[in-house]
Amino acid sequence: MRRHRTVLLVLTLGLTLGACLRIDTSEPEPAPVESAPSPTPTTEPDTAPDDTEASPTETGGGTAAPAAPVELTVTEVATGLEVPWDVIEHDGRVLVTERDTGRLLEIAPDGSATEVRGFDVDPAGEGGLLGLASDGAALFVYYTGGDGNRVVRLDQVDGDEVPIVTGIPKGRTHNGGRLAIGPDGLLYVGTGDSGDGALAADPGSLGGKILRVDRDGGVPDDNPFEDSPVYSLGHRNVQGLAFDADGRLWAAELGPDRDDEINLIEPGEDYGWPEVTGAPGAEGVVDAKFVAQPPEASWSGATIPDGGAIPQWDGDLLVTGLRGERLYRLDLDAEQVADAEALYVGEFGRLRTARVAPDGAVWLLTSNRDGRGSPVSNDDRLLRVGP
């Protein structure tokens, strides 16, 4: 592979924060973009900033020096995928969803992809086979069916579907789809407003919410709304969910024509859609912790590495950008985002998902064949970022 330098963009917290009246201006799904095949982008080891610090550790002789940054290389794990949406390791297998085909694929060590099973999906617009989560025993899958979005549990990957959450509104846009297992062992579900902003503000609707349920779909006793899976509301389209080392839940959310948000989620709180966006300081709603504009963001998947394989990213929130065609590294400081770095800007096209791999590296999925990108000959791809 040819080598290159990582592009660095440092943003400040207050750069794009501000109050804006929200008007939902969802764009219709554009026609697929046709492009001639082009050479595969190649990468060189990532040159991490010299001032990146890891948390010092106490030893018998005093405070140990922070772990030294390691060189990072981006390699292709699998190519020729068709609009992949999520990737996960489950029961020793690397599994990838394809949004439009409804196929669940297993990726072998040699990069070959084998269909494990298919799902009966409605792939219109942004719907289809979407997010995955694993509790070590069962696999959880979010997909758009004929009667709406749903979450199912698979006790065996090729076994029967067990419905967990049904009746999540669907639309041509804003189907949500991200899943995460929390440190409490419960399942968290990011949904979208399905193109109807009023649903996000309605606590009786599952649209535009983060939901919290047990592995059977039951409502935990300590959920903020009695007998309801709703954990937080006022979301336009939740696309990324990640827990930090302190057990806090961070969510990446797409704005309309402005203000893509990074939110720190608190139970029972309202995050403003469809009335406000960003961090206006409005009464009764929670401000975003970080905001960027869609041309540089359009956030999707989120993950937080533990620093084992990549010490310079220890505890940072990594968020992929679709329209922004980059990976954001957000330095989390207490309950704020201290600074942000944009990596691999424009090098791999639209990035859909970031996920910590079993070896501590980071997996990335491209989304260049989703009708909004400019695919090269080997798109879409599963990439690995690591030593």
Side-chain angles (χ1 to χ4, degrees):
M1 296 186 296
R2 289 188 295 110
R3 299 193 167 208
H4 65 82
R5 291 185 62 85
T6 302
V7 180
L8 175 66
L9 171 64
V10 179
L11 305 178
T12 58
L13 277 174
L15 183 62
T16 54
L17 300 180
C20 316
L21 178 64
R22 280 209 188 241
I23 300 174
D24 192 348
T25 57
S26 303
E27 297 178 356
E29 190 82 353
V33 176
E34 298 294 336
S35 65
S38 58
T40 304
T42 56
T43 64
E44 113 172 306
D46 176 42
T47 53
D50 294 337
D51 60 354
T52 303
E53 295 183 355
S55 299
T57 56
E58 295 296 330
T59 65
T63 302
V70 299
E71 278 195 324
L72 302 179
T73 300
V74 182
T75 56
E76 291 180 341
V77 177
T79 62
L81 305 174
E82 297 183 42
V83 195
W85 209 92
D86 206 355
V87 57
I88 201 170
E89 187 273 336
H90 173 72
D91 195 23
R93 309 163 78 176
V94 179
L95 302 176
V96 170
T97 57
E98 288 185 333
R99 187 189 71 182
D100 295 350
T101 67
R103 299 190 302 172
L104 180 67
L105 305 176
E106 180 176 357
I107 308 299
D110 65 0
S112 60
T114 303
E115 182 175 348
V116 175
R117 64 178 297 151
F119 291 84
D120 185 12
V121 302
D122 178 3
E126 297 170 358
L129 183 57
L130 304 175
L132 297 171
S134 171
D135 65 2
L139 182 70
F140 298 87
V141 184
Y142 186 119
Y143 72 90
T144 312
D147 58 350
N149 289 297
R150 59 174 46 209
V151 180
V152 300
R153 189 183 78 232
L154 303 177
D155 295 316
Q156 301 292 329
V157 172
D158 57 355
D160 293 338
E161 298 180 14
V162 179
I164 300 299
V165 182
T166 59
I168 303 170
K170 74 169 185 176
R172 187 168 180 80
T173 59
H174 309 173
N175 287 289
R178 201 63 67 179
L179 301 176
I181 301 291
D184 53 11
L186 299 174
L187 179 67
Y188 291 75
V189 182
T191 75
D193 68 7
S194 68
D196 181 356
L199 297 182
D202 179 3
S205 171
L206 300 184
K209 307 294 190 299
I210 293 176
L211 312 177
R212 179 179 184 251
V213 296
D214 64 30
R215 67 187 309 272
D216 295 318
V219 176
D221 292 339
D222 59 348
N223 266 16
F225 302 99
E226 187 176 1
D227 297 326
S228 171
V230 172
Y231 190 70
S232 63
L233 67 158
H235 301 288
R236 183 172 182 266
N237 194 19
V238 178
Q239 291 286 285
L241 295 173
F243 286 90
D244 64 20
D246 294 323
R248 299 174 303 183
L249 176 58
W250 297 82
E253 180 175 344
L254 289 168
D257 58 351
R258 63 180 66 85
D259 294 351
D260 293 333
E261 300 176 356
I262 299 296
N263 288 304
L264 178 57
I265 303 302
E266 298 290 345
E269 295 292 348
D270 184 343
Y271 287 80
W273 182 252
E275 298 301 324
V276 297
T277 183
E283 184 178 357
V285 300
V286 179
D287 283 351
K289 297 299 184 182
F290 186 81
V291 179
Q293 300 311 309
E296 289 77 41
S298 297
W299 286 315
S300 189
T303 196
I304 299 179
D306 63 7
I310 310 177
Q312 62 265 41
W313 289 358
D314 184 15
D316 292 338
L317 178 64
L318 305 179
V319 189
T320 50
L322 290 165
R323 188 174 168 189
E325 298 188 350
R326 65 198 69 188
L327 175 69
Y328 272 93
R329 183 193 65 81
L330 303 180
D331 181 5
L332 303 181
D333 180 10
E335 295 186 357
Q336 301 295 328
V337 176
D339 62 60
E341 179 185 14
L343 305 167
Y344 313 119
V345 179
E347 295 180 21
F348 306 108
R350 293 163 61 82
L351 295 179
R352 170 70 67 182
T353 293
R355 172 89 70 172
V356 176
D359 64 357
V362 173
W363 283 325
L364 301 176
L365 283 173
T366 70
S367 190
N368 293 317
R369 294 190 178 277
D370 63 2
R372 293 173 173 172
S374 299
V376 297
S377 59
N378 57 346
D379 273 331
D380 275 311
R381 291 166 285 168
L382 171 60
L383 306 171
R384 176 190 182 275
V385 184

